[in-house]
Amino acid sequence: MIIILFLLILLILYLLYKLNSKDRIIQGLQNNISTFNQFCDSLSVPFFVKDIDGKYIKCNKTFLGLVKKSKKDILHTTNEEQETLYMLHNDMDMELLTKDSVTYKEIFAIKSQKSKVYEFYKSAIRVDGKYMGYVCIMIDVTEHEKNENKLQWTVHQESEKSKEIVKQHEEEKLANVKFTAIGQLAAGITHEINTPLTYIKGNIEMIKMDLEDLPQSVTTKEQILEDFKDVQSGVERISTIVESMREMSQHKKVELKRTNIYSTLITSLIMAYNRSKQICKIYINDEEFTLDSEKSRYEFFADVEEQRVEQAWIIIINNALDELKKKPNYDDRKLNIDVSQNKSDIKIRFKDNAGGISKDIIEDLFEPFVSAKPEGGMGVGLSIAKKILDAQSATIEAYNENNGAVFEITIKSS
Amino acid sequence: MKKIAVIDDEVQITSMIEKFLKRDGDYSVTVYNNPVSALSGLDKDTDVVLLDIMMPQMNGLDVLHKLRSTHPNTNVIMMTAYSTLDKVLEAHRQGAEDYIMKPFSSMSIITDKIKSLKK
């Protein structure tokens, strides 16, 4: 009896123990699930699990936040059933039937929200080799994509830019070749036309002199002289056109050389001396210019094409002389040239006292065919001077000051 | 009376200048249409040479160079139909006194230039 009672107690104790351990296991399992859920929810990236039918069977808070749904709304549904959720990646999901995992990038769009780019990492769940569904983690790569796109765009732009530069270089080269060809042609034509033009023009002038010498009794004299005007003006016109081709025929681009601007001015003054000495005294930096003026008395260095710059000075000087000549008295005429330098610029001022530039032409002074000379100057001189100076990156401006004209040139010093 | 020589390969130009200078009356004029014969024939006491730059037989700059040693007292005025002044500037460096651009602005520029010479 005692033994039976003892066995009964043992049996009760055993059953009690068994009962306790099942609770503990259940308790343990529940603890694990809760830990797992907490773990999932603490993931900062969206996470979800789908079963074989494509139904959500688990997801974390981040995912719910992303799709703006509650757990109740989303679990046990498929994407097709979620009207506002566009994530139909069924093709990729199908791959998981044969593969362990798939990774891909896709735009993720939710109605009325800015779309983002996510990378989807999906891993198949298999139990005893049988496909049960998959686990997915989504990583937001929008910024990365943007940067990458930006980078690609920058690379693309840079390569386009360098292509453009190469193209420009090619075009410049071609333009240079063309320009050289045109220049050579213009130089040839100018020279060839100028030669017959010289004797046509000269002879016309002399015929006119002869005609004027005819006695008044020759009845046709006036008529011939009248007709002659047109012949002469026609020839003048041709001369002007040929003259305007001058700068174009400057076909050789000479290299810029470090040059003393003061000495180029002295050279030009010497060149113009035979004319200037009959017109007026010229002062350069307050000293009267003579043929003995020392070329290197002052030094103002700039990178220029020496001979072309000298040509520009000759044009400007001759232009001033033409104006000064209009004044009756030698002693009343004066041309001052001043060269000075500040930090980076050399300034050259040609100032005459010939009354200044007329308002009618001052605006267009450097345009071709603008002239103040009543006897019909070519009107191309100053436009050529400007073109020459432009090519040296120098600037020229003209204005009136104290009853005279000022031509002011600024060149970068070297 | 000033002794003038005109050296230019263009006959029309030399004859025109000759006519013009003779018309003025105060000049004796010799013309050469070939620079080589000019160099051998040019009188020592020639006052002024009007010298073209571009000539087929011999470049005006080379003629100038020779003239500077053979005729040191002769003034040289260059004539050019070139559109730019670089040849003229070069001539100036080699001792040419003056220059005239072709076509002449007026015929009187020739006598003006001759009259304004220093020597």
Side-chain angles (χ1 to χ4, degrees), chain A residues 298-331:
Chain A
Y298 296 99
E299 286 185 338
F300 298 95
F301 282 102
D303 292 329
V304 293
E305 296 168 78
E306 188 181 8
Q307 288 193 339
R308 288 186 79 197
V309 166
E310 285 167 352
Q311 288 187 40
W313 303 156
I314 290 172
I315 291 168
I316 296 167
I317 292 166
N318 273 326
N319 188 68
L321 293 176
D322 288 339
E323 292 306 305
L324 285 161
K325 220 167 66 176
K326 293 175 189 167
K327 282 185 124 179
N329 295 324
Y330 177 92
D331 291 327

PDB file of all heavy atoms in Angstrom, chain A residues 298-331:
ATOM      1  N   TYR A 298      63.441 105.735 -72.888  1.00  0.00           N
ATOM      2  CA  TYR A 298      62.521 105.196 -71.872  1.00  0.00           C
ATOM      3  C   TYR A 298      62.227 103.742 -72.226  1.00  0.00           C
ATOM      4  O   TYR A 298      62.338 103.350 -73.384  1.00  0.00           O
ATOM      5  CB  TYR A 298      61.208 105.968 -71.860  1.00  0.00           C
ATOM      6  CG  TYR A 298      61.363 107.403 -71.452  1.00  0.00           C
ATOM      7  CD1 TYR A 298      61.419 108.406 -72.415  1.00  0.00           C
ATOM      8  CD2 TYR A 298      61.446 107.768 -70.106  1.00  0.00           C
ATOM      9  CE1 TYR A 298      61.564 109.738 -72.061  1.00  0.00           C
ATOM     10  CE2 TYR A 298      61.589 109.100 -69.738  1.00  0.00           C
ATOM     11  CZ  TYR A 298      61.649 110.077 -70.708  1.00  0.00           C
ATOM     12  OH  TYR A 298      61.786 111.378 -70.357  1.00  0.00           O
ATOM     13  N   GLU A 299      61.840 102.992 -71.217  1.00  0.00           N
ATOM     14  CA  GLU A 299      61.499 101.592 -71.486  1.00  0.00           C
ATOM     15  C   GLU A 299      60.107 101.266 -70.965  1.00  0.00           C
ATOM     16  O   GLU A 299      59.815 101.425 -69.780  1.00  0.00           O
ATOM     17  CB  GLU A 299      62.549 100.668 -70.844  1.00  0.00           C
ATOM     18  CG  GLU A 299      63.862 100.686 -71.628  1.00  0.00           C
ATOM     19  CD  GLU A 299      64.870  99.687 -71.086  1.00  0.00           C
ATOM     20  OE1 GLU A 299      64.753  99.301 -69.907  1.00  0.00           O
ATOM     21  OE2 GLU A 299      65.778  99.317 -71.845  1.00  0.00           O
ATOM     22  N   PHE A 300      59.265 100.841 -71.886  1.00  0.00           N
ATOM     23  CA  PHE A 300      57.914 100.395 -71.530  1.00  0.00           C
ATOM     24  C   PHE A 300      57.687  99.106 -72.310  1.00  0.00           C
ATOM     25  O   PHE A 300      57.398  99.156 -73.507  1.00  0.00           O
ATOM     26  CB  PHE A 300      56.874 101.435 -71.938  1.00  0.00           C
ATOM     27  CG  PHE A 300      57.028 102.756 -71.255  1.00  0.00           C
ATOM     28  CD1 PHE A 300      57.741 103.783 -71.868  1.00  0.00           C
ATOM     29  CD2 PHE A 300      56.471 102.975 -70.000  1.00  0.00           C
ATOM     30  CE1 PHE A 300      57.885 105.004 -71.248  1.00  0.00           C
ATOM     31  CE2 PHE A 300      56.618 104.202 -69.371  1.00  0.00           C
ATOM     32  CZ  PHE A 300      57.332 105.222 -69.985  1.00  0.00           C
ATOM     33  N   PHE A 301      57.835  97.973 -71.661  1.00  0.00           N
ATOM     34  CA  PHE A 301      57.803  96.720 -72.410  1.00  0.00           C
ATOM     35  C   PHE A 301      56.414  96.090 -72.446  1.00  0.00           C
ATOM     36  O   PHE A 301      55.705  96.052 -71.438  1.00  0.00           O
ATOM     37  CB  PHE A 301      58.801  95.716 -71.823  1.00  0.00           C
ATOM     38  CG  PHE A 301      60.220  96.012 -72.254  1.00  0.00           C
ATOM     39  CD1 PHE A 301      61.097  96.650 -71.393  1.00  0.00           C
ATOM     40  CD2 PHE A 301      60.640  95.679 -73.528  1.00  0.00           C
ATOM     41  CE1 PHE A 301      62.388  96.938 -71.797  1.00  0.00           C
ATOM     42  CE2 PHE A 301      61.932  95.953 -73.942  1.00  0.00           C
ATOM     43  CZ  PHE A 301      62.816  96.590 -73.075  1.00  0.00           C
ATOM     44  N   ALA A 302      56.064  95.588 -73.632  1.00  0.00           N
ATOM     45  CA  ALA A 302      54.803  94.850 -73.794  1.00  0.00           C
ATOM     46  C   ALA A 302      55.026  93.777 -74.856  1.00  0.00           C
ATOM     47  O   ALA A 302      55.917  93.906 -75.696  1.00  0.00           O
ATOM     48  CB  ALA A 302      53.694  95.790 -74.234  1.00  0.00           C
ATOM     49  N   ASP A 303      54.202  92.721 -74.786  1.00  0.00           N
ATOM     50  CA  ASP A 303      54.291  91.663 -75.803  1.00  0.00           C
ATOM     51  C   ASP A 303      53.407  92.045 -76.982  1.00  0.00           C
ATOM     52  O   ASP A 303      52.189  91.981 -76.885  1.00  0.00           O
ATOM     53  CB  ASP A 303      53.843  90.314 -75.209  1.00  0.00           C
ATOM     54  CG  ASP A 303      54.829  89.829 -74.179  1.00  0.00           C
ATOM     55  OD1 ASP A 303      56.032  90.128 -74.333  1.00  0.00           O
ATOM     56  OD2 ASP A 303      54.410  89.173 -73.208  1.00  0.00           O
ATOM     57  N   VAL A 304      54.030  92.440 -78.066  1.00  0.00           N
ATOM     58  CA  VAL A 304      53.261  92.884 -79.241  1.00  0.00           C
ATOM     59  C   VAL A 304      53.938  92.429 -80.536  1.00  0.00           C
ATOM     60  O   VAL A 304      55.056  91.923 -80.522  1.00  0.00           O
ATOM     61  CB  VAL A 304      53.144  94.426 -79.287  1.00  0.00           C
ATOM     62  CG1 VAL A 304      52.304  94.957 -78.155  1.00  0.00           C
ATOM     63  CG2 VAL A 304      54.520  95.088 -79.287  1.00  0.00           C
ATOM     64  N   GLU A 305      53.231  92.624 -81.649  1.00  0.00           N
ATOM     65  CA  GLU A 305      53.838  92.439 -82.961  1.00  0.00           C
ATOM     66  C   GLU A 305      54.434  93.797 -83.331  1.00  0.00           C
ATOM     67  O   GLU A 305      53.711  94.724 -83.691  1.00  0.00           O
ATOM     68  CB  GLU A 305      52.782  92.039 -83.983  1.00  0.00           C
ATOM     69  CG  GLU A 305      52.142  90.694 -83.697  1.00  0.00           C
ATOM     70  CD  GLU A 305      50.916  90.489 -84.566  1.00  0.00           C
ATOM     71  OE1 GLU A 305      51.075  90.168 -85.741  1.00  0.00           O
ATOM     72  OE2 GLU A 305      49.805  90.677 -84.066  1.00  0.00           O
ATOM     73  N   GLU A 306      55.729  93.898 -83.231  1.00  0.00           N
ATOM     74  CA  GLU A 306      56.427  95.184 -83.315  1.00  0.00           C
ATOM     75  C   GLU A 306      56.023  96.020 -84.546  1.00  0.00           C
ATOM     76  O   GLU A 306      55.594  97.164 -84.421  1.00  0.00           O
ATOM     77  CB  GLU A 306      57.934  94.926 -83.313  1.00  0.00           C
ATOM     78  CG  GLU A 306      58.757  96.179 -83.198  1.00  0.00           C
ATOM     79  CD  GLU A 306      60.253  95.878 -83.221  1.00  0.00           C
ATOM     80  OE1 GLU A 306      60.618  94.719 -83.472  1.00  0.00           O
ATOM     81  OE2 GLU A 306      61.031  96.805 -82.971  1.00  0.00           O
ATOM     82  N   GLN A 307      56.153  95.380 -85.727  1.00  0.00           N
ATOM     83  CA  GLN A 307      55.922  96.165 -86.942  1.00  0.00           C
ATOM     84  C   GLN A 307      54.473  96.587 -87.112  1.00  0.00           C
ATOM     85  O   GLN A 307      54.196  97.674 -87.609  1.00  0.00           O
ATOM     86  CB  GLN A 307      56.382  95.372 -88.165  1.00  0.00           C
ATOM     87  CG  GLN A 307      57.898  95.305 -88.219  1.00  0.00           C
ATOM     88  CD  GLN A 307      58.400  94.821 -89.566  1.00  0.00           C
ATOM     89  OE1 GLN A 307      57.664  94.193 -90.305  1.00  0.00           O
ATOM     90  NE2 GLN A 307      59.651  95.109 -89.859  1.00  0.00           N
ATOM     91  N   ARG A 308      53.575  95.735 -86.678  1.00  0.00           N
ATOM     92  CA  ARG A 308      52.165  96.104 -86.828  1.00  0.00           C
ATOM     93  C   ARG A 308      51.814  97.257 -85.895  1.00  0.00           C
ATOM     94  O   ARG A 308      51.039  98.144 -86.235  1.00  0.00           O
ATOM     95  CB  ARG A 308      51.263  94.902 -86.557  1.00  0.00           C
ATOM     96  CG  ARG A 308      51.322  93.880 -87.667  1.00  0.00           C
ATOM     97  CD  ARG A 308      50.322  92.793 -87.446  1.00  0.00           C
ATOM     98  NE  ARG A 308      48.979  93.185 -87.827  1.00  0.00           N
ATOM     99  CZ  ARG A 308      47.887  92.551 -87.441  1.00  0.00           C
ATOM    100  NH1 ARG A 308      47.992  91.505 -86.654  1.00  0.00           N
ATOM    101  NH2 ARG A 308      46.707  92.939 -87.822  1.00  0.00           N
ATOM    102  N   VAL A 309      52.411  97.220 -84.687  1.00  0.00           N
ATOM    103  CA  VAL A 309      52.154  98.305 -83.747  1.00  0.00           C
ATOM    104  C   VAL A 309      52.698  99.612 -84.317  1.00  0.00           C
ATOM    105  O   VAL A 309      52.047 100.659 -84.252  1.00  0.00           O
ATOM    106  CB  VAL A 309      52.783  97.969 -82.377  1.00  0.00           C
ATOM    107  CG1 VAL A 309      52.834  99.180 -81.493  1.00  0.00           C
ATOM    108  CG2 VAL A 309      51.988  96.874 -81.696  1.00  0.00           C
ATOM    109  N   GLU A 310      53.876  99.530 -84.936  1.00  0.00           N
ATOM    110  CA  GLU A 310      54.450 100.736 -85.555  1.00  0.00           C
ATOM    111  C   GLU A 310      53.509 101.275 -86.641  1.00  0.00           C
ATOM    112  O   GLU A 310      53.334 102.476 -86.778  1.00  0.00           O
ATOM    113  CB  GLU A 310      55.826 100.412 -86.150  1.00  0.00           C
ATOM    114  CG  GLU A 310      56.889 100.264 -85.064  1.00  0.00           C
ATOM    115  CD  GLU A 310      58.199  99.644 -85.564  1.00  0.00           C
ATOM    116  OE1 GLU A 310      58.253  99.183 -86.711  1.00  0.00           O
ATOM    117  OE2 GLU A 310      59.159  99.626 -84.783  1.00  0.00           O
ATOM    118  N   GLN A 311      52.910 100.351 -87.379  1.00  0.00           N
ATOM    119  CA  GLN A 311      51.955 100.773 -88.417  1.00  0.00           C
ATOM    120  C   GLN A 311      50.773 101.512 -87.809  1.00  0.00           C
ATOM    121  O   GLN A 311      50.306 102.512 -88.345  1.00  0.00           O
ATOM    122  CB  GLN A 311      51.420  99.564 -89.177  1.00  0.00           C
ATOM    123  CG  GLN A 311      52.450  98.957 -90.090  1.00  0.00           C
ATOM    124  CD  GLN A 311      51.827  97.859 -90.949  1.00  0.00           C
ATOM    125  OE1 GLN A 311      50.720  97.987 -91.423  1.00  0.00           O
ATOM    126  NE2 GLN A 311      52.564  96.788 -91.142  1.00  0.00           N
ATOM    127  N   ALA A 312      50.315 100.981 -86.667  1.00  0.00           N
ATOM    128  CA  ALA A 312      49.167 101.616 -86.008  1.00  0.00           C
ATOM    129  C   ALA A 312      49.535 103.038 -85.576  1.00  0.00           C
ATOM    130  O   ALA A 312      48.763 103.980 -85.775  1.00  0.00           O
ATOM    131  CB  ALA A 312      48.729 100.790 -84.799  1.00  0.00           C
ATOM    132  N   TRP A 313      50.745 103.206 -85.009  1.00  0.00           N
ATOM    133  CA  TRP A 313      51.174 104.557 -84.572  1.00  0.00           C
ATOM    134  C   TRP A 313      51.250 105.488 -85.779  1.00  0.00           C
ATOM    135  O   TRP A 313      50.825 106.634 -85.713  1.00  0.00           O
ATOM    136  CB  TRP A 313      52.552 104.531 -83.891  1.00  0.00           C
ATOM    137  CG  TRP A 313      52.732 103.645 -82.696  1.00  0.00           C
ATOM    138  CD1 TRP A 313      53.917 103.131 -82.251  1.00  0.00           C
ATOM    139  CD2 TRP A 313      51.746 103.190 -81.751  1.00  0.00           C
ATOM    140  NE1 TRP A 313      53.736 102.376 -81.116  1.00  0.00           N
ATOM    141  CE2 TRP A 313      52.404 102.384 -80.789  1.00  0.00           C
ATOM    142  CE3 TRP A 313      50.366 103.355 -81.632  1.00  0.00           C
ATOM    143  CZ2 TRP A 313      51.754 101.764 -79.727  1.00  0.00           C
ATOM    144  CZ3 TRP A 313      49.702 102.733 -80.564  1.00  0.00           C
ATOM    145  CH2 TRP A 313      50.389 101.962 -79.641  1.00  0.00           C
ATOM    146  N   ILE A 314      51.803 104.965 -86.900  1.00  0.00           N
ATOM    147  CA  ILE A 314      51.940 105.817 -88.093  1.00  0.00           C
ATOM    148  C   ILE A 314      50.563 106.310 -88.545  1.00  0.00           C
ATOM    149  O   ILE A 314      50.378 107.476 -88.870  1.00  0.00           O
ATOM    150  CB  ILE A 314      52.651 105.045 -89.239  1.00  0.00           C
ATOM    151  CG1 ILE A 314      54.123 104.829 -88.858  1.00  0.00           C
ATOM    152  CG2 ILE A 314      52.560 105.809 -90.559  1.00  0.00           C
ATOM    153  CD1 ILE A 314      54.896 103.917 -89.790  1.00  0.00           C
ATOM    154  N   ILE A 315      49.590 105.402 -88.502  1.00  0.00           N
ATOM    155  CA  ILE A 315      48.232 105.794 -88.910  1.00  0.00           C
ATOM    156  C   ILE A 315      47.697 106.889 -87.981  1.00  0.00           C
ATOM    157  O   ILE A 315      47.164 107.903 -88.438  1.00  0.00           O
ATOM    158  CB  ILE A 315      47.284 104.562 -88.899  1.00  0.00           C
ATOM    159  CG1 ILE A 315      47.674 103.599 -90.024  1.00  0.00           C
ATOM    160  CG2 ILE A 315      45.828 105.000 -89.026  1.00  0.00           C
ATOM    161  CD1 ILE A 315      47.004 102.234 -89.934  1.00  0.00           C
ATOM    162  N   ILE A 316      47.884 106.681 -86.686  1.00  0.00           N
ATOM    163  CA  ILE A 316      47.354 107.655 -85.724  1.00  0.00           C
ATOM    164  C   ILE A 316      48.077 109.009 -85.869  1.00  0.00           C
ATOM    165  O   ILE A 316      47.453 110.070 -85.855  1.00  0.00           O
ATOM    166  CB  ILE A 316      47.463 107.108 -84.281  1.00  0.00           C
ATOM    167  CG1 ILE A 316      46.578 105.858 -84.136  1.00  0.00           C
ATOM    168  CG2 ILE A 316      47.055 108.166 -83.260  1.00  0.00           C
ATOM    169  CD1 ILE A 316      46.826 105.061 -82.882  1.00  0.00           C
ATOM    170  N   ILE A 317      49.401 108.940 -86.041  1.00  0.00           N
ATOM    171  CA  ILE A 317      50.175 110.182 -86.201  1.00  0.00           C
ATOM    172  C   ILE A 317      49.752 110.910 -87.479  1.00  0.00           C
ATOM    173  O   ILE A 317      49.467 112.102 -87.467  1.00  0.00           O
ATOM    174  CB  ILE A 317      51.698 109.878 -86.222  1.00  0.00           C
ATOM    175  CG1 ILE A 317      52.149 109.380 -84.846  1.00  0.00           C
ATOM    176  CG2 ILE A 317      52.493 111.135 -86.610  1.00  0.00           C
ATOM    177  CD1 ILE A 317      53.528 108.732 -84.837  1.00  0.00           C
ATOM    178  N   ASN A 318      49.667 110.163 -88.585  1.00  0.00           N
ATOM    179  CA  ASN A 318      49.266 110.786 -89.856  1.00  0.00           C
ATOM    180  C   ASN A 318      47.874 111.382 -89.767  1.00  0.00           C
ATOM    181  O   ASN A 318      47.593 112.427 -90.334  1.00  0.00           O
ATOM    182  CB  ASN A 318      49.320 109.761 -90.996  1.00  0.00           C
ATOM    183  CG  ASN A 318      50.711 109.692 -91.604  1.00  0.00           C
ATOM    184  OD1 ASN A 318      51.412 110.703 -91.680  1.00  0.00           O
ATOM    185  ND2 ASN A 318      51.114 108.512 -92.020  1.00  0.00           N
ATOM    186  N   ASN A 319      47.007 110.681 -89.048  1.00  0.00           N
ATOM    187  CA  ASN A 319      45.653 111.180 -88.863  1.00  0.00           C
ATOM    188  C   ASN A 319      45.676 112.528 -88.135  1.00  0.00           C
ATOM    189  O   ASN A 319      44.988 113.477 -88.536  1.00  0.00           O
ATOM    190  CB  ASN A 319      44.868 110.143 -88.050  1.00  0.00           C
ATOM    191  CG  ASN A 319      43.412 110.479 -87.958  1.00  0.00           C
ATOM    192  OD1 ASN A 319      42.715 110.435 -88.956  1.00  0.00           O
ATOM    193  ND2 ASN A 319      42.976 110.855 -86.764  1.00  0.00           N
ATOM    194  N   ALA A 320      46.515 112.608 -87.097  1.00  0.00           N
ATOM    195  CA  ALA A 320      46.631 113.867 -86.350  1.00  0.00           C
ATOM    196  C   ALA A 320      47.225 114.959 -87.245  1.00  0.00           C
ATOM    197  O   ALA A 320      46.758 116.104 -87.240  1.00  0.00           O
ATOM    198  CB  ALA A 320      47.492 113.652 -85.113  1.00  0.00           C
ATOM    199  N   LEU A 321      48.237 114.579 -88.051  1.00  0.00           N
ATOM    200  CA  LEU A 321      48.872 115.564 -88.934  1.00  0.00           C
ATOM    201  C   LEU A 321      47.862 116.117 -89.936  1.00  0.00           C
ATOM    202  O   LEU A 321      47.836 117.309 -90.222  1.00  0.00           O
ATOM    203  CB  LEU A 321      50.074 114.944 -89.664  1.00  0.00           C
ATOM    204  CG  LEU A 321      51.271 114.555 -88.775  1.00  0.00           C
ATOM    205  CD1 LEU A 321      52.342 113.857 -89.611  1.00  0.00           C
ATOM    206  CD2 LEU A 321      51.863 115.773 -88.064  1.00  0.00           C
ATOM    207  N   ASP A 322      47.000 115.230 -90.467  1.00  0.00           N
ATOM    208  CA  ASP A 322      45.970 115.673 -91.415  1.00  0.00           C
ATOM    209  C   ASP A 322      45.080 116.733 -90.786  1.00  0.00           C
ATOM    210  O   ASP A 322      44.688 117.706 -91.442  1.00  0.00           O
ATOM    211  CB  ASP A 322      45.087 114.482 -91.848  1.00  0.00           C
ATOM    212  CG  ASP A 322      45.832 113.531 -92.770  1.00  0.00           C
ATOM    213  OD1 ASP A 322      46.828 113.972 -93.373  1.00  0.00           O
ATOM    214  OD2 ASP A 322      45.427 112.353 -92.869  1.00  0.00           O
ATOM    215  N   GLU A 323      44.734 116.504 -89.534  1.00  0.00           N
ATOM    216  CA  GLU A 323      43.855 117.457 -88.845  1.00  0.00           C
ATOM    217  C   GLU A 323      44.590 118.763 -88.545  1.00  0.00           C
ATOM    218  O   GLU A 323      44.054 119.850 -88.723  1.00  0.00           O
ATOM    219  CB  GLU A 323      43.331 116.836 -87.532  1.00  0.00           C
ATOM    220  CG  GLU A 323      42.371 115.681 -87.738  1.00  0.00           C
ATOM    221  CD  GLU A 323      41.204 116.055 -88.647  1.00  0.00           C
ATOM    222  OE1 GLU A 323      40.506 117.041 -88.348  1.00  0.00           O
ATOM    223  OE2 GLU A 323      41.010 115.361 -89.672  1.00  0.00           O
ATOM    224  N   LEU A 324      45.857 118.611 -88.081  1.00  0.00           N
ATOM    225  CA  LEU A 324      46.635 119.801 -87.705  1.00  0.00           C
ATOM    226  C   LEU A 324      46.895 120.702 -88.911  1.00  0.00           C
ATOM    227  O   LEU A 324      46.946 121.920 -88.788  1.00  0.00           O
ATOM    228  CB  LEU A 324      47.958 119.360 -87.058  1.00  0.00           C
ATOM    229  CG  LEU A 324      47.818 118.846 -85.615  1.00  0.00           C
ATOM    230  CD1 LEU A 324      49.029 118.023 -85.220  1.00  0.00           C
ATOM    231  CD2 LEU A 324      47.627 120.017 -84.645  1.00  0.00           C
ATOM    232  N   LYS A 325      47.030 120.069 -90.067  1.00  0.00           N
ATOM    233  CA  LYS A 325      47.325 120.808 -91.299  1.00  0.00           C
ATOM    234  C   LYS A 325      46.237 121.836 -91.607  1.00  0.00           C
ATOM    235  O   LYS A 325      46.483 122.830 -92.293  1.00  0.00           O
ATOM    236  CB  LYS A 325      47.443 119.810 -92.463  1.00  0.00           C
ATOM    237  CG  LYS A 325      48.560 120.148 -93.426  1.00  0.00           C
ATOM    238  CD  LYS A 325      48.862 119.010 -94.360  1.00  0.00           C
ATOM    239  CE  LYS A 325      47.701 118.716 -95.303  1.00  0.00           C
ATOM    240  NZ  LYS A 325      48.045 117.661 -96.282  1.00  0.00           N
ATOM    241  N   LYS A 326      45.044 121.564 -91.090  1.00  0.00           N
ATOM    242  CA  LYS A 326      43.925 122.469 -91.368  1.00  0.00           C
ATOM    243  C   LYS A 326      44.096 123.819 -90.658  1.00  0.00           C
ATOM    244  O   LYS A 326      43.432 124.784 -90.988  1.00  0.00           O
ATOM    245  CB  LYS A 326      42.610 121.808 -90.936  1.00  0.00           C
ATOM    246  CG  LYS A 326      42.246 120.593 -91.768  1.00  0.00           C
ATOM    247  CD  LYS A 326      41.006 119.911 -91.212  1.00  0.00           C
ATOM    248  CE  LYS A 326      40.754 118.572 -91.896  1.00  0.00           C
ATOM    249  NZ  LYS A 326      39.755 117.788 -91.174  1.00  0.00           N
ATOM    250  N   LYS A 327      44.951 123.819 -89.627  1.00  0.00           N
ATOM    251  CA  LYS A 327      45.198 125.107 -88.940  1.00  0.00           C
ATOM    252  C   LYS A 327      46.216 125.891 -89.766  1.00  0.00           C
ATOM    253  O   LYS A 327      47.199 125.323 -90.235  1.00  0.00           O
ATOM    254  CB  LYS A 327      45.784 124.840 -87.555  1.00  0.00           C
ATOM    255  CG  LYS A 327      44.765 124.419 -86.522  1.00  0.00           C
ATOM    256  CD  LYS A 327      45.423 124.311 -85.160  1.00  0.00           C
ATOM    257  CE  LYS A 327      44.734 125.169 -84.147  1.00  0.00           C
ATOM    258  NZ  LYS A 327      45.358 125.048 -82.828  1.00  0.00           N
ATOM    259  N   PRO A 328      46.002 127.191 -89.908  1.00  0.00           N
ATOM    260  CA  PRO A 328      46.868 127.948 -90.819  1.00  0.00           C
ATOM    261  C   PRO A 328      48.327 128.091 -90.358  1.00  0.00           C
ATOM    262  O   PRO A 328      49.229 128.041 -91.192  1.00  0.00           O
ATOM    263  CB  PRO A 328      46.178 129.309 -90.914  1.00  0.00           C
ATOM    264  CG  PRO A 328      45.259 129.383 -89.750  1.00  0.00           C
ATOM    265  CD  PRO A 328      44.887 127.996 -89.387  1.00  0.00           C
ATOM    266  N   ASN A 329      48.560 128.256 -89.078  1.00  0.00           N
ATOM    267  CA  ASN A 329      49.931 128.576 -88.647  1.00  0.00           C
ATOM    268  C   ASN A 329      50.686 127.399 -88.052  1.00  0.00           C
ATOM    269  O   ASN A 329      50.174 126.699 -87.178  1.00  0.00           O
ATOM    270  CB  ASN A 329      49.910 129.694 -87.604  1.00  0.00           C
ATOM    271  CG  ASN A 329      49.388 130.976 -88.205  1.00  0.00           C
ATOM    272  OD1 ASN A 329      49.660 131.266 -89.381  1.00  0.00           O
ATOM    273  ND2 ASN A 329      48.594 131.693 -87.432  1.00  0.00           N
ATOM    274  N   TYR A 330      51.899 127.238 -88.509  1.00  0.00           N
ATOM    275  CA  TYR A 330      52.771 126.167 -88.011  1.00  0.00           C
ATOM    276  C   TYR A 330      52.892 126.233 -86.498  1.00  0.00           C
ATOM    277  O   TYR A 330      52.780 125.223 -85.802  1.00  0.00           O
ATOM    278  CB  TYR A 330      54.154 126.295 -88.677  1.00  0.00           C
ATOM    279  CG  TYR A 330      55.178 125.280 -88.203  1.00  0.00           C
ATOM    280  CD1 TYR A 330      55.338 124.073 -88.877  1.00  0.00           C
ATOM    281  CD2 TYR A 330      55.977 125.530 -87.091  1.00  0.00           C
ATOM    282  CE1 TYR A 330      56.265 123.142 -88.455  1.00  0.00           C
ATOM    283  CE2 TYR A 330      56.909 124.601 -86.650  1.00  0.00           C
ATOM    284  CZ  TYR A 330      57.056 123.413 -87.342  1.00  0.00           C
ATOM    285  OH  TYR A 330      57.968 122.489 -86.916  1.00  0.00           O
ATOM    286  N   ASP A 331      53.109 127.451 -85.989  1.00  0.00           N
ATOM    287  CA  ASP A 331      53.377 127.587 -84.557  1.00  0.00           C
ATOM    288  C   ASP A 331      52.168 127.274 -83.669  1.00  0.00           C
ATOM    289  O   ASP A 331      52.313 127.014 -82.486  1.00  0.00           O
ATOM    290  CB  ASP A 331      53.871 129.010 -84.257  1.00  0.00           C
ATOM    291  CG  ASP A 331      55.269 129.208 -84.853  1.00  0.00           C
ATOM    292  OD1 ASP A 331      56.030 128.219 -84.893  1.00  0.00           O
ATOM    293  OD2 ASP A 331      55.573 130.336 -85.292  1.00  0.00           O
TER     294      ASP A 331
END
